[in-house]
């Protein structure tokens, strides 16, 4: 059966599909992993199991520190990207939904103060509907961003580390940082779905999964 995830009430008005094919296996080869090490089954997740993956800086060169499922999408359609995270000692993280350079939406989150500190859209396209941070208990937060972008040659829905709560983004809505070896968070349950708001988590393990209305 599927593990139960504690969340506040979420209205599910219609069917939803998680387009991330390995939603909680961040070591699968389908994930793009840049300058971080992913250690599975490293902390207790929102399902009550040891199901969160440690995302840790191990490369301190000045480069991007991020993970990305690169799930496909349709231009001009609203999508919601979400991740469950738990603070270790990497305070600031971001989520980007990118079509190509200058066509994106992005939000930065402070995992200590538990607030969204900055939102940005690309100068060529990007419609931001919302960016949220929800405390689901046991020091676990669900981060989300919702909106649309105009093109999709580079379909990225990244979770990344930032140097501050107000990072200066590059054209691809990311930031090169050196970071400190060992700085980390824990991550669980990536979801990328069509719709203007995130819905409850849909686990996947090798293919997209649709939950009926």
């Amino acid at each position: 059966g599927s593990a139960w995830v504690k969340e506040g009430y979420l209205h599910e008005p219609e069917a939803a599909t998680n387009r991330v094919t390995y939603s909680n296996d961040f070591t699968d080869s389908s994930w793009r992993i840049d300058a971080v090490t992913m250690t599975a089954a490293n902390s207790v997740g929102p399902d009550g199991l040891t199901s969160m993956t440690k995302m840790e800086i191990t490369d301190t060169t000045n480069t991007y520190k991020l993970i990305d499922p690169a799930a496909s999408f349709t231009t001009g359609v609203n999508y919601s990207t979400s991740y469950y995270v738990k603070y270790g000692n990497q305070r600031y993280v971001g989520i980007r939904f990118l079509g190509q350079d200058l066509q994106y939406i992005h939000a930065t989150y402070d995992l200590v103060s538990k607030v969204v500190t900055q939102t940005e859209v690309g100068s060529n396209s990007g419609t931001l509907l919302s960016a949220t941070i929800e405390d689901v208990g046991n020091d676990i937060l669900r981060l989300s961003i919702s909106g649309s972008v105009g093109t999709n040659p580079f379909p990225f829905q990244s979770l990344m580390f930032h140097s501050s709560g107000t990072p200066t983004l590059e054209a691809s809505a990311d930031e090169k940082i050196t970071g400190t070896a060992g700085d980390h968070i824990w991550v669980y349950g990536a979801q990328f779905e069509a719709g203007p708001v995130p819905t409850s988590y849909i686990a996947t393990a090798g293919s997209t999964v649709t939950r009926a209305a």
Side-chain angles (χ1 to χ4, degrees):
S2 298
W4 177 75
V5 175
K6 177 184 176 182
E7 289 188 290
Y9 173 75
L10 287 174
H11 179 51
E12 314 288 12
E14 56 188 23
T17 299
N18 188 353
R19 303 171 76 89
V20 179
T21 54
Y22 284 89
S23 63
N24 202 45
D25 184 357
F26 301 98
T27 63
D28 184 77
S29 61
S30 61
W31 280 86
R32 171 188 173 188
I33 309 293
D34 280 359
V36 293
T37 295
M38 307 301 286
T39 305
N42 194 256
S43 187
V44 175
D47 55 0
L49 305 174
T50 308
S51 55
M52 298 195 87
T53 295
K54 188 178 187 181
M55 178 178 174
E56 180 178 12
I57 294 177
T58 51
D59 180 346
T60 56
T61 57
N62 190 41
T63 189
Y64 312 114
K65 276 108 175 131
L66 59 82
I67 60 174
D68 195 289
S72 63
F73 67 92
T74 301
T75 60
V77 173
N78 289 321
Y79 289 91
S80 295
T81 305
S82 58
Y83 291 87
Y84 293 88
V85 302
K86 182 161 56 175
Y87 174 68
N89 54 7
Q90 170 63 39
R91 180 169 184 170
Y92 301 107
V93 302
I95 296 178
R96 71 170 172 182
F97 174 27
L98 173 74
Q100 66 176 23
D101 284 359
L102 304 178
Q103 306 201 39
Y104 62 81
I105 58 175
H106 177 279
T108 306
Y109 308 83
D110 181 336
L111 302 184
V112 175
S113 298
K114 301 179 181 180
V115 294
V116 178
T117 57
Q118 177 174 281
T119 59
E120 294 195 44
V121 299
S123 58
N124 287 352
S125 81
T127 300
L128 176 68
L129 298 179
S130 66
T132 65
I133 183 166
E134 177 191 5
D135 189 336
V136 301
N138 299 318
D139 299 319
I140 300 170
L141 307 171
R142 193 184 193 194
L143 315 180
S144 74
I145 189 169
S146 301
S148 64
V149 296
T151 60
N152 64 353
F154 307 120
F156 293 149
Q157 305 87 22
S158 313
L159 177 68
M160 64 186 68
F161 288 170
H162 283 309
S163 60
S164 74
T166 54
T168 300
L169 300 180
E170 299 190 359
S172 51
D174 45 17
E175 178 195 20
K176 291 179 180 177
I177 66 171
T178 54
T180 300
D183 281 3
H184 65 278
I185 63 171
W186 290 276
V187 60
Y188 170 94
Q191 186 148 304
F192 179 61
E193 60 189 306
V197 295
T199 65
S200 58
Y201 174 55
I202 304 167
T204 68
S207 64
T208 63
V209 173
T210 297
R211 178 187 55 238

